[in-house]
């Protein structure tokens, strides 16, 4: 599952874009905010959720990873 970004909380700092090892994020054009542009390259490492200091990212683990 793709990470979810709370666009209201997000301050567009870009840390998640820089630090994601899967290159999942990109800055949207025209004020679209940060987009999960490549959700299929996410392997749910949790880096973005930890690095986003204002808690604007939530990584939902697939059911098979919760077992
Ligand atoms: S790290 Fe958090 S606040 Fe910064 S751009 Fe990403 S989602 Fe927004
Ligand atoms: S969980 Fe890891 S791979 Fe997935 S978007 Fe966040 S930092 Fe990138």
């Amino acid at each position: 599952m793709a990470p979810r970004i709370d666009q209201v909380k997000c301050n567009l700092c870009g840390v998640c874009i820089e630090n994601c090892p899967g290159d999942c994020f990109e800055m949207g054009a025209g004020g679209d905010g940060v987009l999960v542009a490549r959700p299929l390259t996410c392997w749910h490492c949790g880096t973005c959720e930890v690095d986003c200091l204002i808690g604007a990212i939530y990584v939902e683990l697939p059911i098979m990873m919760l077992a």
Side-chain angles (χ1 to χ4, degrees):
M1 296 185 170
R4 284 187 274 140
I5 298 176
D6 184 330
Q7 300 291 350
V8 175
K9 283 185 179 178
C10 176
N11 63 11
L12 306 177
C13 70
V15 168
C16 56
I17 298 173
E18 290 178 20
N19 291 358
C20 172
D23 194 27
C24 297
F25 303 108
E26 68 183 34
M27 192 66 73
D32 288 343
V34 176
L35 308 176
V36 186
R38 287 167 289 279
L40 295 181
T41 63
C42 174
W43 68 81
H44 309 98
C45 66
T47 298
C48 56
E49 194 174 81
V50 172
D51 287 353
C52 180
L53 298 180
I54 58 173
I57 302 183
Y58 175 68
V59 178
E60 194 170 2
L61 295 178
I63 290 174
M64 64 181 183
M65 294 181 74
L66 295 173

